[in-house]
């Protein structure tokens, strides 16, 4: 499968690195980016082909990844529309807040399009991606998309595109919630006398360990929590404070606010394509 990447920034670098590590031939990967330094870096690091011309990158591709910022998406998509009209290719967008209807408007109505929402840990191969398929996307297309995006972590499919706003709120913005939690743990540990760097290390590795347990265990998170919470013990004392403060309700409000904001931003991109 020959893959074109439109935009050679952080996400493309990570996906190309993942594909090369899994044995993809460098000649099967082509990246277009307006910045010469970006192209030279990708050529040097991965041996892939590069070009400043988006349509040129797409010409021989079977699958196209649109990896530009949301505000650049209209221009990038429109720049490859004529080339896409010459033969069927699957197009995958990884941009936050760009709806399938807008992609079809810019790329051409018959284009098989998949809208995805990866998150930042994708940059270290530890992300999670949600995907939603547009009209005309078949099983083979889905398998091809999974092959590319799974280098960044697992991929889950959604049937209802409106749920992508909730995905953005939960996993798109989600890493920031965990960073905040690590900051808060570090501050609390330091306030109680631990050296700050020790408190940070303890908090960060606890986040890593808890994340691994919750993804690698067949037990639900609630069960794992109960297993570390003895009656009358230290964890129970801390959890009681968090529950009394209404932590679950605070998160419900925070996620709802992020989902609302995601829908507002998508409306802006759709109403006035190409501008934030
Ligand atoms: N980074 C993340 O954590 C993350 C997580 C989830 C999703 N995403 C999504 O992934 C997409 C890419 O993010 P990124 O962090 O990789 O962005 P990035 O590092 O800014 O890379 C985008 C690249 O595309 C180039 N570009 C701009 N307009 C173009 C055009 N018309 N044709 C071809 N290339 C063009 C940019 O060049 P210039 O610098 O000259 O503009 C830049 O080199 C975004 O839509 C973002 O929403 C990112």
């Amino acid at each position: 499968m020959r893959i074109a990447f439109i935009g050679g920034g952080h996400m493309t670098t990570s996906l190309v690195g993942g594909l090369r590590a899994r044995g993809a031939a460098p000649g099967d990967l082509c990246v277009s980016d307006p910045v010469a330094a970006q192209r030279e870096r990708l050529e040097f690091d991965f041996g892939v082909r590069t070009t400043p011309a988006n349509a040129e990158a797409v010409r021989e591709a079977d699958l196209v990844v649109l990896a530009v910022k949301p505000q650049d998406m209209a221009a990038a998509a429109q720049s490859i529309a004529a080339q896409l009209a010459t033969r069927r290719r699957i197009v995958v967008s990884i941009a936050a807040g760009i709806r399938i209807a807008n992609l079809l408007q810019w790329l051409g109505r018959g284009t098989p399009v998949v809208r995805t929402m990866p998150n930042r840990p994708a940059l270290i191969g530890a992300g999670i991606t949600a995907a939603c398929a547009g009209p005309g996307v078949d099983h083979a297309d889905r398998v091809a998309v999974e092959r590319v995006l799974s280098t960044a972590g697992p991929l889950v499919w959604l049937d209802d595109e409106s749920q992508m706003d909730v995905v953005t709120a939960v996993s798109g913005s989600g890493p920031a919630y965990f960073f905040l939690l690590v900051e808060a743990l570090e501050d609390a540990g330091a306030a109680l006398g631990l050296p700050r760097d020790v408190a940070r290390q303890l908090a960060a590795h606890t986040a890593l360990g808890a994340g691994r347990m919750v993804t690698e265990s067949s037990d639900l998170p609630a069960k794992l929590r109960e297993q570390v919470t003895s009656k009358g013990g230290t964890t129970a004392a801390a959890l009681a404070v968090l529950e009394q403060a209404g932590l679950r309700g605070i998160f419900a409000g925070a996620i709802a606010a992020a989902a609302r904001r995601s829908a507002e931003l998508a409306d802006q991109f759709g109403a006035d394509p190409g501008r934030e």
Side-chain angles (χ1 to χ4, degrees):
M1 179 169 64
R2 283 166 300 187
I3 307 168
F5 292 85
I6 308 302
H10 296 98
M11 288 296 282
T12 288
T13 301
S14 175
L15 292 171
V16 165
L19 286 164
R20 289 286 290 118
R22 287 191 186 184
D28 285 344
L29 307 177
C30 185
V31 181
S32 64
D33 194 287
V35 184
Q38 298 272 73
R39 299 196 300 273
E40 281 158 21
R41 187 181 47 74
L42 286 157
E43 282 174 22
F44 183 80
D45 287 349
F46 305 115
V48 297
R49 293 179 296 126
T50 71
T51 168
N54 294 343
E56 168 66 20
V58 169
R59 196 157 52 88
E60 290 179 8
D62 306 305
L63 184 149
V64 179
V65 180
L66 292 171
V68 299
K69 295 276 187 224
Q71 60 270 27
D72 296 322
M73 189 55 89
Q78 284 162 350
S79 73
I80 61 170
Q83 189 63 249
L84 290 174
T86 62
R87 132 175 112 76
R88 186 184 189 279
R89 300 163 180 91
I90 174 99
V91 179
V92 184
S93 162
I94 64 167
I98 301 291
R99 294 191 173 123
I100 290 171
N102 294 115
L103 292 166
L104 291 175
Q105 178 192 334
W106 302 325
L107 295 165
R109 299 271 162 221
T111 314
V113 162
V114 173
R115 173 183 171 186
T116 69
M117 181 66 219
N119 66 359
R120 194 151 186 87
L123 298 179
I124 57 164
I128 174 86
T129 300
C132 189
V137 173
D138 61 25
H139 178 70
D141 295 331
R142 287 178 185 243
V143 171
V145 172
E146 282 168 20
R147 213 183 115 200
V148 178
L149 268 298
S150 66
T151 62
L155 183 142
V156 293
W157 289 96
L158 290 172
D159 292 329
D160 179 354
E161 191 188 359
S162 69
Q163 293 177 345
M164 292 299 265
D165 292 321
V166 187
V167 167
T168 303
V170 173
S171 59
S173 301
Y177 317 148
F178 288 92
F179 297 146
L180 177 66
L181 193 60
V182 170
E183 283 176 65
L185 281 178
E186 175 191 326
D187 286 346
L192 291 173
L194 286 177
R196 183 161 281 281
D197 59 328
V198 172
R200 184 176 311 140
Q201 240 184 314
L202 292 172
H205 280 269
T206 302
L208 176 67
R212 280 194 57 191
M213 284 193 79
V214 92
T215 50
E216 292 173 17
S217 165
S218 56
D219 289 332
L220 291 171
K223 176 90 179 288
L224 294 171
R225 176 172 49 77
E226 281 160 18
Q227 286 165 354
V228 291
T229 314
S230 11
K231 212 165 175 201
T234 58
T235 313
L239 290 177
V241 173
L242 293 173
E243 295 283 12
Q244 275 160 24
L247 187 74
R248 290 170 198 266
I250 291 170
F251 264 99
I255 302 305
R260 271 197 308 278
R261 185 65 190 136
S262 171
E264 282 167 11
L265 288 171
D267 284 343
Q268 277 178 32
F269 289 127
D272 188 10
R275 293 177 64 187
E276 196 160 21

